[in-house]
Amino acid sequence: MLEPGVYPKDEFNLLDAISEFLKNVSPSDGAVASFIGLVKNVSELGKEVAEIEIESYVEHATSTIRKICEEVSTKYRVSRVLIYHLMGRFGVGEPLVLVLVSGKSRSNVFPALQEAVERYKREPALFKKE
């Protein structure tokens, strides 16, 4: 299974990552939650977007993402948190981030997923050019 981190778009298969994650869910887990971030056609400033390019200081971003995964997993007592952020050029509607969480119940999985999503948006060294 791929470690959480930043990957070039052409080296990451979203469906393979989800499938691999599901194959490795602990038998004691009863909940899995996921988030897929897509490129939207309007920026946060209301400007039309045709495509975006994501660049990264990979070493920093990957270590930050792994730290987020560990901290969120511990805080919410979930079995696994994985964040995969992609780099490269993306058109509208293309996925650029995948967050996966598994745990004993939805009561801890959902808040863990929300925190993981909020933190990946702020903390890693990822740069978006529209």
Side-chain angles (χ1 to χ4, degrees):
M1 183 165 1
L2 280 176
E3 290 292 317
V6 179
Y7 292 92
K9 173 184 173 181
D10 59 351
E11 294 179 16
F12 184 85
N13 183 297
L14 182 89
L15 295 177
D16 288 348
I18 294 169
S19 178
E20 189 67 23
F21 181 81
L22 291 173
K23 287 178 191 174
N24 290 289
V25 170
S26 169
S28 65
D29 286 349
V32 170
S34 64
F35 171 83
I36 299 172
L38 306 175
V39 176
K40 54 190 174 194
N41 67 351
V42 178
S43 74
E44 292 178 12
L45 301 175
K47 187 174 117 181
E48 189 172 325
V49 174
E51 69 176 16
I52 66 169
E53 185 168 352
I54 302 290
E55 296 177 345
S56 174
Y57 173 38
V58 176
E59 294 81 10
H60 177 272
T62 293
S63 68
T64 301
I65 284 172
R66 289 180 182 169
K67 178 181 171 200
I68 293 167
C69 291
E70 290 173 20
E71 290 175 357
V72 169
S73 180
T74 300
K75 178 178 179 180
Y76 293 97
R77 297 182 183 152
V78 294
S79 301
R80 183 171 285 145
V81 176
L82 298 176
I83 300 170
Y84 301 111
H85 205 297
L86 306 183
M87 299 180 304
R89 291 194 143 182
F90 299 85
V92 172
E94 284 191 85
L96 54 106
V97 66
L98 171 64
V99 182
L100 299 163
V101 179
S102 66
K104 294 197 183 321
S105 76
R106 66 185 180 275
S107 64
N108 59 344
V109 167
F110 286 144
L113 178 67
Q114 182 165 356
E115 182 168 326
V117 169
E118 297 302 325
R119 288 184 62 185
Y120 94 72
K121 296 283 288 178
R122 291 189 316 261
E123 297 176 29
L126 296 162
F127 312 100
K128 176 172 67 170
K129 183 172 29 169
E130 297 174 344

